[in-house]
Amino acid sequence: MRVLITGGAKELGRAFSEAIGAQGHQLVITGRDEIALRTAETELRAKGVDVEAHVADLGDPGATPKLVESLGGIDVLVNNGALGGPVGPTWQVDENEWWRTFEVNLRGTAFAANAAIRTMTSGRIINVVSNAGVHRWPYVTAYSVSKAAVIKLTENLAIELRRRPIAVLSYDPGMVDAGLMSRGCDLETDDPHLRRIAQWARSQRDGGRFTPVEQSAALLARIVSGEFDHRSGGLITQEDG
Ligand SMILES: NC(=O)c1ccc[n+]([C@@H]2O[C@H](COP(=O)([O-])OP(=O)(O)OC[C@H]3O[C@@H](n4cnc5c(N)ncnc54)[C@H](OP(=O)(O)O)[C@@H]3O)[C@@H](O)[C@H]2O)c1
């Protein structure tokens, strides 16, 4: 199968790429950071993965759809790329930064999915979400609300596609010691809201509530293989692993 994963060069996305590549799938990885993309491409190829990397900014509404169309079809889209967004009281954070988070996390995800569905005969769309989209996450509202919207988008698309062999699933990878949560744990700052997030992240890690990255990536690889297609529209969490 040909699998496109947005944000596939770095952090959790990189772990997803490794796990999907290890299953023998053909990989297409995207992101904004060309150096990270080339490095990941080289390292994955050295492990025998059939991979190509492309710069595609999810903030540019046409970029990922254009890539999907130029590939002439994919079997699986993993919408992993996202922004953590601004932190602070919603009425005080930079509103442009707040809105930019929706452009990447919601519009970027939706338009990539639309392009994939238009070119796909069968397969699946996997939207990487977060517990923050299920439960409230005050002071991080752009992230929380954009992920909630993606969960709802998944549910609606699954119904619209119920007569076609295309599944749409949300995947909560759990809190992992990579990317957003890892940076959260390492954060040293005087900002009271960021400091609260950092303390909370460390308490989750130290309390053993993190999911091992390999475990999270292994479950994603099972979703990619089609094992959860019968749950189309639903949210797959670590409990399902
Ligand atoms: N880490 C966790 O514990 C955790 C928990 C729950 C959910 N998640 C979800 O897992 C996914 C990955 O998170 P992460 O922790 O690995 O985050 P991260 O370290 O911030 O990485 C984000 C990824 O998205 C890409 N990206 C960001 N903006 C982009 C844009 N405008 N266009 C294209 N790509 C873009 C980045 O690549 P470039 O910089 O190259 O653009 C990078 O590969 C996200 O959807 C996140 O919500 C993570």
Side-chain angles (χ1 to χ4, degrees):
M1 284 193 295
R2 189 194 248 172
V3 183
L4 188 152
I5 170 162
T6 65
K10 287 180 183 168
E11 303 293 343
L12 188 51
R14 172 61 188 270
F16 290 162
S17 296
E18 300 262 351
I20 299 165
Q23 286 188 326
H25 299 305
Q26 199 184 343
L27 260 189
V28 181
I29 59 174
T30 69
R32 294 162 302 176
D33 180 345
E34 178 147 27
I35 293 171
L37 284 164
R38 295 293 153 235
T39 304
E41 189 181 51
T42 305
E43 291 174 0
L44 286 161
R45 280 185 184 160
K47 293 182 178 179
V49 179
D50 179 355
V51 57
E52 54 182 276
H54 295 271
V55 171
D57 184 348
L58 288 163
D60 171 352
T64 310
K66 203 149 96 194
L67 173 64
V68 170
E69 279 149 26
S70 76
L71 290 168
I74 54 173
D75 302 294
V76 182
L77 169 68
V78 181
N79 269 315
N80 165 76
L83 292 175
V87 174
T90 303
W91 59 94
Q92 282 175 8
V93 297
D94 182 323
E95 287 181 327
N96 290 323
E97 205 192 329
W98 195 86
W99 186 242
R100 176 88 183 150
T101 310
F102 285 83
E103 290 180 342
V104 173
N105 296 6
L106 177 58
R107 186 181 67 186
T109 292
F111 286 13
N114 291 345
I117 294 163
R118 284 195 293 265
T119 57
M120 233 177 212
T121 46
S122 64
R124 58 203 58 85
I125 317 274
I126 302 163
N127 295 323
V128 180
V129 295
S130 164
N131 195 39
V134 178
H135 299 285
R136 65 191 179 200
W137 204 15
Y139 306 104
V140 198
T141 57
Y143 183 73
S144 174
V145 178
S146 64
K147 291 292 181 178
V150 171
I151 291 170
K152 206 44 89 180
L153 176 70
T154 303
E155 292 172 13
N156 282 289
L157 285 179
I159 298 293
E160 293 179 15
L161 288 164
R162 69 190 180 283
R163 297 199 203 291
R164 288 174 61 184
I166 300 175
V168 191
L169 292 150
S170 292
Y171 176 53
D172 174 0
M175 291 180 284
V176 297
D177 202 358
L180 292 168
M181 282 302 279
S182 173
R183 290 197 296 280
C185 288
D186 293 342
L187 211 60
E188 304 229 358
T189 169
D190 290 334
D191 180 282
H193 303 291
L194 283 170
R195 211 168 52 228
R196 250 195 50 219
I197 297 275
Q199 279 165 356
W200 172 80
R202 285 192 284 270
S203 75
Q204 299 299 302
R205 184 190 57 194
D206 299 344
R209 285 183 281 279
F210 272 23
T211 299
V213 175
E214 301 70 29
Q215 188 180 308
S216 178
L219 181 53
L220 186 273
R222 286 171 57 193
I223 304 169
V224 165
S225 75
E227 198 179 320
F228 292 88
D229 282 3
H230 61 287
R231 302 256 306 267
S232 188
L235 169 64
I236 309 301
T237 71
Q238 295 312 299
E239 307 249 302
D240 297 296

